[in-house]
Amino acid sequence: MPRAIQSTPDHRIYSRAELTKVRRSTSLYARSFPPGPERNYHCQIALSLRSLFTNEAWLEAHRSDESRELRMQESSR
């Protein structure tokens, strides 16, 4: 039986939409720099995120489609 994924302070669980938003914003942030080392640095971070998102084991450990819904329910209380 699969065990439930728990979000802890040192191991945050994200929704797929949140992960996509982080990757997209990192890529856009990188494009805001002129060509050079700083832009390359931020592009490398975006590429690393992209490769992590194709790793099913990493995604399973860090993603939960229900995590966002749970947080919204807790904040509305």
Side-chain angles (χ1 to χ4, degrees):
M1 176 165 26
R3 70 184 171 106
I5 298 174
Q6 300 270 331
S7 183
T8 61
D10 62 332
H11 183 87
R12 178 135 186 253
I13 303 300
Y14 299 89
S15 71
R16 188 170 199 83
E18 288 174 312
L19 290 173
T20 303
K21 184 178 179 181
V22 167
R23 189 179 89 197
R24 187 175 295 133
S25 65
T26 302
S27 183
L28 288 172
Y29 182 68
R31 291 183 203 147
S32 70
F33 291 97
E38 192 166 3
R39 181 179 183 151
N40 293 343
Y41 172 75
H42 292 290
C43 284
Q44 184 61 44
I45 292 171
L47 288 172
S48 296
L49 286 171
R50 182 179 182 185
S51 68
L52 277 176
F53 295 170
T54 61
N55 181 337
E56 290 299 321
W58 186 89
L59 264 180
E60 187 64 31
H62 293 86
R63 178 183 62 89
S64 171
D65 291 330
E66 301 166 357
S67 66
R68 180 172 235 183
E69 295 170 3
L70 291 173
R71 272 184 263 130
M72 289 177 74
Q73 288 174 359
E74 291 174 0
S75 65
S76 66
R77 290 182 191 173

